[in-house]
Every structure is written in structure tokens, then in C-alpha cells.
Amino acid sequence: MRVGILTFHSVTNYGAVMQCYGVQELCRELYPGADVEVINYQPKKASRHYFRKHVIEGKEYSYFFKLYRFWSFVRKRMNLSGKKITDTPSLAALGKAYDAIIVGSDEVWKISKIRGWDENYFLGFADASRTRLISYAASSNYGTDYGGREDRIAELLSRFSNIGVRDDFTQQHIQALVSQAVTEVLDPTLVADMSALRLNGRVFSQPYILIYASMHKKDLKVIKRWADEKGWSIVAIGYKVKVADDVYMTCKPEVWLNLIENAELVVTHYYHGMLLSLKSNTPVIPIYNKSKSAKVIGFAKKFSFEEKVRTDLQGLTLESVDEVSVQLSDFSEELKQHIHQSREFMKRALEPVSRN
């Protein structure tokens, strides 16, 4: 069985590469004999967007170090289909080689300024008569302005054998377009075995609070007070935080994961920062951020801790951190059930797959 995965894998985003790795590993776990590849599709529009944002406009020349580290991670950890593909005809030619193609996870069905309308993420290039089409944890976030393309999307998705989405918002909107069942499944980072990414030892040796968010100065003062009271250090990822004892602006994805796993407490507004904290059994305080709220709050509602998503940290004492932070033990049994259901969805989606 040969399986292709189409998702966002070539961006300098920790969550994006982790979710791609997660789908790959989940397929390998369920079907050890399968030949699983990440389709090396890199749309030119998206590549230009990130280069312009970080280098031309942001003058973030350290971005090149981050780009190299992500490039190295992808080539080391993922089984790429081959050379970079940027056009639909090349995708169509490659697609003929697969018994199944999985689109997702991530916001592959969000029509945004970064990628615009790209029919390839609805697998328009694939021949459904010879290849099984599947989505796993695909999401549109809150972006359901399809520009009048609902009929075309419905036509494309009607060719899918199994449709799995990441959140109830996407589930409701996609279900309104198709007749087949649309199943909500967990993000692959929670479902797949990610242990191969673990580093030996600790990247930062002292006990620390990890900040993985853009935060207001007054909230940073609260975190600083907590750290001082406990005798902990403060570590930040991706942002130049003045109160931090160490800042990792362009660290490798494995280092990012190590810093989350070994923190005493994580404060983040990132969806995958929250998920990987929970998976690592690290207490986490999820922070509300408008652009990321759909993912974070959607997951929080699913597991009944939406009241713990903070807009700020004002008024919190160190003693109250245990009360306001989210921990895996709060819903571990319920999460196990959802992990099992998600694994069963993928197992059914891929079995049996044979070349017609």
C-alpha cells in the first residue's frame, strides 16, 4: 500500500511540521508495511508570502537560520515524495502512484490571503476512480468564505471515501455541503507516537516557566513574580521577552518540543503549544488570541475547560496557578476515548486499500 499525505509541511511553523509528522507516523503505526510519503507540494504563493513577511517586511534575517533548521527537520524526519512540486499537472502525475491520498491535518480548507483558493487541497488533481481520497483532521478554522465555490467544494468532497475534520466548526460547515458522514477527529499530534523526536536530557537545565506567546508587559510582570517566588527561570520561544533568562528565537522543532516537555508551566496562545503541553503532562495556561482563538477555544470546549482560557493573567497568584492551569489529568480518560476513536477512523479509512 502506498499512501500520500498532502498538508502544510514546508513552513517555519512548529505546529505545522508537527502535525504533518504526526499524520505520517500514525499511518506507519496502523499499517507498518505501508509506504507513506509526504507529498512535497510547495505552492509559490505561500512561499513568497512567508519570505516577504519575515525577510522583506520584518527584516528578520535570523529567519534564514530558522528556515534551515526546519528544512533539516523535514528532510530528516519525513519521507518526502521527491523534488519540490509547485503546479497541479505535476501533482496529478504523482497522484497516480498512490493507493490513497490523505489531505490534512491543519487549516488546509481555509481560503486565506496566504494561499488563496487552491483546489489541490480538496484533492481536485486526484483520480478518485483509482485512488482512495481521505481527509484527516482537515480544518477551515473560522474561514468559511468560499467565494461562491460551495458547489465545487461539494463536488470535490463527494469523491472522498472518508472525511475527518479537526473541529466542530468545520464539521458543521462541511456536513452542510455533503451527504456522507463528516467525522470530528483529534489533531494527529495527540494521536500519533511522537517519542522518536525526544532528545536525551534537557535543553535548559534549570526549572523554568516557558512563554510561547506574544504577551502584554503587565502579564509578563505576573509571570516574573511567579518565577521569583519559586526560584524558577523564564524561557521564551519565538519572542524577545525581556524578563526571560533565555530566548530561543529559531530553535529546531525537536528543541521546541523538549522545552515544552520539561517546563514546570507553559503559557501559550498557540494551539499546538497547548496540545503538546497536555500530551507531555505539562501544566499549561492557554491565553486568548483573536487570530488563534477558534482552535484553542474549540478544543477547550470539547474537553470542558473553556473557562480556563485566559484573556490576561492579572490577579493570579502563584497559589492559584494550579487552579487556572490545564493539566492532562483533568480529562485524561475522556481524551483516551477520543484518541481511540481517531485511530479507528484512520484505520477504517485505509483498510482495505488496493490498486484497482
Side-chain angles (χ1 to χ4, degrees), residues 6-72:
L6 182 66
T7 186
F8 306 149
H9 72 283
S10 60
V11 296
T12 52
N13 180 289
Y14 294 106
V17 297
M18 288 293 172
Q19 62 81 22
C20 181
Y21 177 81
V23 177
Q24 173 187 272
E25 295 307 294
L26 179 58
C27 292
R28 287 174 168 175
E29 289 170 37
L30 296 175
Y31 293 94
D35 180 9
V36 183
E37 291 183 343
V38 175
I39 298 174
N40 196 10
Y41 177 54
Q42 301 184 36
K44 292 180 180 179
K45 183 174 181 179
S47 299
R48 287 195 295 264
H49 167 83
Y50 286 108
F51 185 82
R52 182 176 63 252
K53 175 185 176 181
H54 293 286
V55 179
I56 297 177
E57 297 174 1
K59 307 298 181 184
E60 301 170 20
Y61 300 117
S62 62
Y63 176 74
F64 290 108
F65 292 102
K66 190 174 185 180
L67 192 66
Y68 173 76
R69 285 165 178 161
F70 275 73
W71 176 87
S72 299

Side-chain angles (χ1 to χ4, degrees), residues 2 7 21 29-30 32 44 73-74 114 134 139-140 163-164 184 190 250 254 281 298-299 327-328 340 353 355-356:
R2 193 174 182 200
T7 186
Y21 177 81
E29 289 170 37
L30 296 175
K44 292 180 180 179
F73 177 86
V74 168
I114 298 176
I134 302 163
S139 176
S140 62
I163 302 177
E184 187 177 345
L190 289 174
T250 62
E254 295 96 336
N281 207 23
F299 185 85
Q327 301 187 48
L328 183 61
H340 174 74
V353 176
R355 176 69 68 199
N356 293 332

